[in-house]
């Protein structure tokens, strides 16, 4: 039986906050690790394999995470969380039945600051004959949405993939960045796929005009998605579908042929702690781009300066402070191996994948998440593994089990997927991370790929509490954007600092929950909780009670 109690913050803090306390009758067991159980069978969510990103977001503002996914053979479906472990398909009643079957990603973001999460849809499955522009659906705050794409100025019809919401100019309104893949043409044989054509498409940065409309400012901002590296020679060969031991029978491409511009996903995050959200973009065959936010509406390509000029087929992105030094690191999934980039704190990064034990050799990585799955206070890593439709390299990845890397607290990780209940050798690509039942432990939704053998099924992994304490923080911006996207939250517990940034968009062509859950281990109080808002306001709370959901409203200056 669940009880919800809303307390006046004045009774506890001398700040303007609201505490939402969620009590549970009992904790199932006490242990050191979270254990996952697949509960999708009774949840009312389609288990059929599919091909589309998945997102968590609270569209009806009832305090429970709802789910957006693309079931087999159709377009996106909105599942309302009923609060009892089950979900209801409300797509039609919500006014979202018009989302086309070309949609490849759908993510939540409150672009008009009315307190209701809106929806941006990228048409990543466009074809040359009938390309559709991306779409923006305004949340009417009554459980329904209205397509406002045309009047909002959302008009680009590319092969849009991952969408990232962020307030890059810190004006208090969310902007939108869309990674685009481009149109590829192959000539296929039994042994190889040869690229015979590639339509270049710049990524799109929509600046929010604060009046319900957007302006495409990609060119002015200089964030098209193609990084520049002096050591990357014009004649150097790219590997399409490479793996640790070689490239199989896939034919090579030159830089001129490839254009270096098939992007999957982007993430806004502040890598240098200057208060402005920077941009990291994943690339299918070459080099991922890092753009430094100059604070004047423009960006500087700092890929080479940051030490990131390394070829890698990258799909998903997870950002987090894995070692607790106050700087955000990057975990990028793909072929050959996954890469963990350690943020050195001076504007540069160092690859530590093998040393840390998270290289994921022999697997093809797709979706990914940074989560403290056992709530011990350390960020762990989940890597979703699958295959490819490229027949030349499909046999290279016979093993497709997901990997769950537990943070040991000493710079290394231990793989714990099977003992934590993560199972299955079918091909998977998409996934999203969030606490759907509000018990303080992060759950995982994983999408199985259609068209692969052995056939698989989607999973809803419910995380079982283990006795460790937690605190989930939801932000309500006033001067900043309403959802607090881009804010940095610092929890000081027993002399240790845990740092999170509110990110909207990530994993692989999807979206994790923007609510930030801090694992606290055996600590029963958060000594100091500090929120660094995008507006520049710094807000601090003291002696925060644990095992609850805390809603923090931005204070006035």
């Amino acid at each position: 039986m669940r009880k919800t109690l809303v307390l006046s913050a004045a009774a506890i803090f001398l700040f303007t906050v609201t505490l939402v306390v969620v009590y549970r009758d009992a904790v199932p067991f006490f242990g050191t690790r979270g254990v996952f159980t697949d509960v999708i069978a009774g949840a009312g969510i389609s288990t059929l394999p599919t091909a589309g990103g998945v997102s968590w977001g609270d569209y009806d503002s009832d305090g429970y995470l709802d789910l957006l996914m693309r079931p087999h053979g159709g377009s996106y479906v909105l599942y309302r969380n009923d609060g009892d472990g089950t979900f209801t398909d409300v797509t039609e009643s919500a006014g979202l039945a018009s989302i086309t079957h070309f949609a490849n990603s759908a993510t939540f973001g409150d672009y008009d600051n009315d307190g209701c999460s809106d929806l941006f849809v990228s048409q990543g499955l466009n074809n040359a004959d009938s390309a559709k522009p991306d779409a923006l659906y305004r949340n009417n705050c009554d459980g329904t949405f209205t397509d406002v794409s045309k009047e909002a100025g959302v008009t680009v019809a590319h092969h849009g993939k991952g969408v990232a919401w962020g307030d890059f100019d810190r004006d208090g309104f969310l902007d939108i960045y869309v990674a685009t893949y481009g149109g590829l043409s192959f000539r296929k044989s039994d042994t190889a796929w040869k690229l015979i054509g590639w339509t270049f498409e710049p990524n799109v940065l929509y600046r929010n005009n604060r009046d319900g409309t957007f302006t495409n400012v990609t060119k002015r901002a200089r964030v098209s998605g193609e990084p520049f590296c002096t050591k990357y020679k014009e004649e150097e060969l790219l590997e399409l579908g490479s793996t640790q031991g070689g490239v199989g029978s896939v034919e090579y491409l030159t830089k001129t042929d490839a254009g270096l511009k098939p992007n999957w996903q982007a993430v806004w995050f502040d890598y240098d702690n200057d208060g402005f959200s920077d941009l990291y973009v994943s690339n299918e065959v070459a080099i991922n781009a890092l753009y430094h936010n100059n604070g004047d509406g423009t960006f500087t390509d700092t890929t080479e300066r940051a030490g990131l000029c390394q070829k890698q087929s990258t799909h998903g992105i997870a950002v987090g402070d894995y070692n607790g030094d106050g700087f955000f690191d990057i975990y990028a999934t793909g072929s050959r191996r996954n890469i963990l980039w350690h943020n050195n704190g001076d504007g540069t990064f160092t690859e530590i994948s093998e040393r840390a034990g998270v290289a994921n050799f022999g697997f093809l990585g797709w979706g990914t998440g940074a989560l403290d799955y056992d709530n011990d206070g350390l960020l762990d890593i989940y890597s979703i593994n699958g295959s490819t439709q490229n027949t030349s390299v499909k046999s290279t990845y016979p093993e497709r089990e997901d990997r769950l890397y537990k943070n040991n607290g000493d710079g290394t990780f231990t793989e714990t997927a099977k003992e934590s209940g993560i199972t299955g050798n079918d091909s998977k690509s998409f996934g999203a991370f969030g606490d759907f039942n509000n018990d303080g432990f992060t759950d995982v939704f994983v999408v199985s790929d259609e068209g692969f053998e052995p056939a698989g099924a989607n999973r809803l992994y419910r995380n079982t509490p283990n006795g460790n304490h937690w605190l989930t923080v939801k932000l309500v911006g006033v001067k900043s954007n309403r959802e607090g996207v881009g804010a940095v939250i610092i929890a000081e517990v027993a002399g240790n600092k845990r740092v999170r940034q509110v990110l909207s968009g990530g994993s692989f062509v999807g979206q994790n929950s923007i609510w930030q859950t801090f694992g606290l281990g055996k600590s029963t109080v958060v000594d100091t909780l500090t929120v660094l808002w995008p507006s520049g306001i710094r807000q601090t709370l003291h002696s925060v009670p644990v095992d609850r959901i805390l809603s923090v409203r931005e204070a006035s200056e």
Side-chain angles (χ1 to χ4, degrees):
M1 179 179 180
R2 189 192 60 200
K3 301 177 182 178
T4 302
L5 175 64
V6 180
L7 303 177
S8 169
I12 301 176
F13 309 112
L14 296 178
F15 296 93
T16 306
V17 299
T18 300
L19 293 180
V20 180
V21 186
V22 178
Y23 294 99
R24 295 284 172 180
D25 289 336
V27 175
F29 71 97
F30 290 83
T32 58
R33 293 179 180 170
V35 175
F36 292 94
T37 303
D38 184 2
V39 296
I40 196 171
I45 300 172
S46 174
T47 62
L48 293 176
T50 184
V54 58
S55 298
W56 289 112
D58 183 11
Y59 88 98
D60 54 359
S61 303
D62 67 349
Y64 284 91
L65 289 174
D66 309 299
L67 185 72
L68 267 168
M69 64 166 289
R70 186 175 178 270
H72 173 73
S75 188
Y76 268 86
V77 169
L78 174 61
Y79 288 103
R80 185 191 66 217
N81 190 332
D82 297 325
D84 58 2
T86 66
F87 294 76
T88 299
D89 181 348
V90 295
T91 310
E92 188 170 349
S93 62
L96 296 177
S98 62
I99 296 178
T100 76
H101 64 280
F102 294 114
N104 196 215
S105 178
T107 58
F108 298 100
D110 185 2
Y111 77 91
D112 52 3
N113 287 341
D114 63 357
C116 304
S117 291
D118 309 296
L119 183 63
F120 189 93
V121 179
S122 68
Q123 312 287 6
L125 303 179
N126 270 332
N127 59 47
D129 298 327
S130 56
K132 302 290 184 181
D134 293 337
L136 179 66
Y137 288 84
R138 185 188 66 230
N139 191 329
N140 301 317
C141 295
D142 60 1
T144 69
F145 292 81
T146 299
D147 185 347
V148 295
S149 308
K150 291 182 179 179
E151 51 264 53
V154 176
T155 59
V156 175
H158 288 335
H159 295 79
K161 297 297 185 179
V163 177
W165 297 80
D167 183 8
F168 78 90
D169 51 4
R170 301 201 317 184
D171 66 352
F173 286 79
L174 287 178
D175 311 296
I176 304 169
Y177 189 82
V178 185
T180 64
Y181 193 85
L184 280 69
S185 300
F186 290 94
R187 183 169 62 244
K188 184 168 57 174
S189 70
D190 292 337
T191 58
W193 287 19
K194 182 178 181 181
L195 182 67
I196 60 176
W198 195 318
T199 303
F200 179 87
E201 294 174 346
N203 295 343
V204 182
L205 174 58
Y206 286 111
R207 187 191 65 215
N208 193 326
N209 298 322
R210 299 182 291 179
D211 60 0
T213 68
F214 291 82
T215 299
N216 184 346
V217 296
T218 313
K219 187 175 182 179
R220 177 180 181 273
R222 302 193 298 269
V223 287
S224 67
E226 183 179 3
F228 175 76
C229 293
T230 57
K231 71 176 184 179
Y232 205 96
K233 306 213 180 276
E234 184 72 19
E235 68 276 7
E236 186 170 2
L237 298 179
L238 305 180
E239 302 167 2
L240 182 61
S242 62
T243 186
Q244 181 187 6
V247 297
S249 57
V250 178
E251 299 194 29
Y252 285 101
L253 313 172
T254 68
K255 178 181 176 183
T256 302
D257 291 333
L260 294 181
K261 182 49 193 64
N263 295 141
W264 277 117
Q265 184 63 55
V267 174
W268 296 101
F269 79 107
D270 185 4
Y271 79 91
D272 55 357
N273 290 353
D274 67 353
F276 286 90
S277 290
D278 310 298
L279 187 64
Y280 184 75
V281 186
S282 71
N283 190 301
E284 171 70 58
V285 297
I287 299 169
N288 299 336
L290 179 66
Y291 294 106
H292 176 262
N293 191 333
N294 299 321
D296 59 0
T298 68
F299 292 77
T300 298
D301 179 356
T302 54
T303 309
E304 186 166 49
R305 185 189 311 166
L308 299 174
C309 285
Q310 179 171 307
K311 287 189 298 180
Q312 167 71 7
S313 175
T314 299
H315 302 134
I317 308 170
V319 170
D321 179 14
Y322 300 102
N323 61 345
D325 64 356
F327 288 88
F328 297 109
D329 312 296
I330 304 169
Y331 189 68
T333 61
S335 64
R336 227 175 184 174
R337 68 185 182 283
N338 295 349
I339 292 181
L340 178 58
W341 290 107
H342 170 252
N343 190 330
N344 299 318
D346 59 0
T348 68
F349 292 80
T350 300
E351 186 195 341
I352 60 170
S353 317
E354 294 182 61
R355 186 172 72 216
V358 295
N360 208 50
F361 280 129
F363 294 84
L364 184 58
W366 297 90
T368 184
L371 70 161
D372 183 0
Y373 80 96
D374 51 2
N375 281 355
D376 66 351
L378 301 171
L379 275 182
D380 312 300
I381 299 172
Y382 191 116
S383 177
I384 297 171
N385 293 313
S387 191
T388 173
Q389 294 288 0
N390 189 330
T391 56
S392 304
V393 295
K394 184 182 293 188
S395 61
T396 304
Y397 303 104
E399 301 302 324
R400 305 166 184 175
E401 297 97 338
D402 290 352
R403 288 290 180 256
L404 179 62
Y405 297 104
K406 175 177 170 55
N407 193 330
N408 299 320
D410 60 359
T412 68
F413 294 75
T414 299
E415 206 288 303
T416 63
K418 288 185 179 179
E419 63 191 88
S420 299
I422 306 299
T423 61
N425 192 38
D426 53 307
S427 183
K428 304 165 295 296
S429 289
F430 307 93
F433 304 80
D435 179 13
F436 79 88
N437 59 351
N438 288 350
D439 65 357
F441 282 71
T442 302
D443 311 299
V444 185
F445 190 88
V446 179
V447 175
S448 187
D449 290 332
E450 61 184 2
F452 288 91
E453 296 294 337
N458 302 330
R459 297 132 164 101
L460 176 58
Y461 285 121
R462 184 188 64 207
N463 193 344
T464 304
N466 62 4
N468 283 339
H469 298 291
W470 54 275
L471 177 70
T472 296
V473 180
K474 298 181 184 180
L475 299 183
V476 181
V478 177
K479 186 176 180 180
S480 302
N481 67 84
R482 182 65 176 263
E483 296 179 320
V485 174
V488 173
I489 307 173
I490 305 168
E492 297 184 47
V493 182
N496 296 312
K497 289 185 178 181
R498 297 163 172 82
V499 183
R500 305 280 193 274
Q501 184 166 21
V502 181
L503 309 177
S504 184
S507 186
F508 172 66
V509 195
Q511 183 177 43
N512 304 321
S513 170
I514 64 172
W515 304 340
Q516 300 301 304
T517 296
F518 292 84
L520 305 174
K522 302 307 175 186
S523 298
T524 58
V525 66
V526 174
D527 300 317
T528 303
L529 185 74
T530 302
V531 181
L532 307 178
W533 295 91
S535 64
I537 292 174
R538 182 185 183 99
Q539 190 169 357
T540 303
L541 313 176
H542 299 283
S543 301
V544 181
V546 302
D547 298 337
R548 63 199 64 215
I549 298 171
L550 172 67
S551 180
V552 181
R553 184 178 178 84
E554 186 175 12
S556 58
E557 294 183 86

